[in-house]
């Protein structure tokens, strides 16, 4: 059994308590929406919600996969809620967001794995919230181009798909997903002429060499936006943290990534895929 590693000072979290935070929570509750901020127990919730930013999670709250680092509930999901795309759009409007970030659970139970629901969500936001930029963080759809292309055809401003970790650790911590499949999803995004973005968690036991290798693989498929953040164990049942990476190393990795040609890199202990997402726009 792994010894428990103490959390360093730099990971102490600021809690949000001001008016905007409460308003954000009220709007989300009113529309019965799920956010990754809450279900992922994101450490930035105070900061983001206080600024009026939230990442919506569509497709329900139950995922068909069971990644070892993820706090989302696993099981047999409920049927899709056809009202959900409109509710997301209404919330984006009510929160006055300028940049909307949307992600979803994986719906391997559905014939189209949720592709049409994604398309409808983007359309509803476009219709109700003109001028709002949209970032989607999509599942791998098992790499199936016919399910990914319809989403890309809606031309979201940024399309993200997270690698989560290096090649060696992918089968250890991710469920069903493969490293090469995720690379192929990013390749499809870039080939469609859209900014391809990905995120890696550090502290899962990866080596420096493996991180650099992953960066090279990402540049090969023209992925241009990268986020690097510290993995935090959501509960004792989840994969244990192997290392708390020092902020200086995050800063160093950012410089290395920029040197390899990534256009935008967010790197720091509390960085999450959707953290400061609005800054990734051209
Ligand atoms: Fe939500 Fe993303 Fe901010 Fe975390 S970083 S609170 S998931 S918007
Ligand atoms: Fe979590 Fe994995 Fe499901 Fe994504 S696919 S919501 S990371 S369990």
């Amino acid at each position: 059994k792994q010894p428990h590693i103490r959390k360093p000072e730099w990971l102490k979290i600021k809690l949000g308590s001001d008016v905007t935070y409460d308003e954000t929570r009220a709007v989300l509750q009113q529309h019965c929406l799920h956010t990754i901020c809450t279900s992922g127990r994101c450490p930035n919730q105070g900061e983001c919600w206080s600024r009026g930013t939230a990442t919506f999670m569509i497709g329900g709250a139950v995922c068909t996969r069971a990644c070892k680092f993820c706090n989302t509930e696993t099981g047999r999901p409920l049927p899709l809620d056809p009202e959900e795309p409109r509710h997301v759009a209404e919330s984006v409007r009510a929160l006055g967001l300028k940049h909307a970030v949307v992600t979803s659970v994986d719906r391997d139970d559905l014939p189209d794995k949720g592709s049409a629901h994604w398309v409808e969500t983007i359309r509803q936001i476009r219709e109700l919230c003109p001028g709002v930029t949209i970032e989607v963080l999509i599942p791998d759809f098992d790499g199936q181009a016919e399910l990914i292309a319809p989403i890309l055809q809606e031309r979201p401003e940024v399309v993200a798909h997270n690698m989560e970790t290096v090649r060696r650790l992918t089968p250890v911590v991710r469920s069903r997903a493969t490293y090469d499949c995720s690379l192929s999803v990013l390749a499809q995004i870039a080939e469609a002429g859209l900014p391809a973005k990905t995120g890696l968690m550090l502290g899962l036991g990866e080596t420096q060499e493996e991180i650099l290798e992953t960066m090279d693989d990402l540049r090969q498929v023209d992925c241009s936006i990268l986020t690097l953040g510290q993995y935090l164990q959501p509960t004792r049942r989840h994969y244990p943290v192997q290392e708390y990476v020092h902020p200086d190393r995050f800063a160093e990795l950012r410089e290395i990534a920029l040197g390899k040609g990534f256009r935008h890199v967010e790197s720091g202990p509390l960085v999450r895929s959707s953290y400061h997402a609005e800054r990734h726009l051209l």
Side-chain angles (χ1 to χ4, degrees), residues 245-265:
V245 177
H246 194 276
D248 291 348
R249 230 184 112 219
F250 276 105
E252 183 202 336
L253 286 167
R254 176 172 190 272
E255 292 310 310
I256 294 173
L258 289 170
K260 288 184 184 289
F262 286 94
R263 182 170 61 73
H264 192 103
V265 182

Side-chain angles (χ1 to χ4, degrees), residues 36-37 42-45 48-49 53-55 272-276:
I36 197 74
C37 319
C42 180
N44 303 310
Q45 205 173 323
C48 290
W49 286 27
T53 304
T55 298
R272 295 296 175 264
S273 178
S274 48
Y275 186 58
H276 290 166

Side-chain angles (χ1 to χ4, degrees), residues 6 16 34 45 83 95 123 172 178 184 190 193 206 212 217 229:
R6 257 176 81 101
H34 303 285
Q45 205 173 323
E83 297 293 307
L95 291 169
R123 286 187 183 163
V172 180
T178 69
S184 86
E206 66 291 331
L212 302 190
D217 290 342

Side-chain angles (χ1 to χ4, degrees), residues 48-69:
C48 290
W49 286 27
S50 300
R51 282 186 317 175
T53 304
T55 298
F56 300 96
M57 192 159 70
I58 60 172
V62 181
C63 185
T64 45
R65 300 191 186 181
C67 302
K68 292 201 177 67
F69 53 83

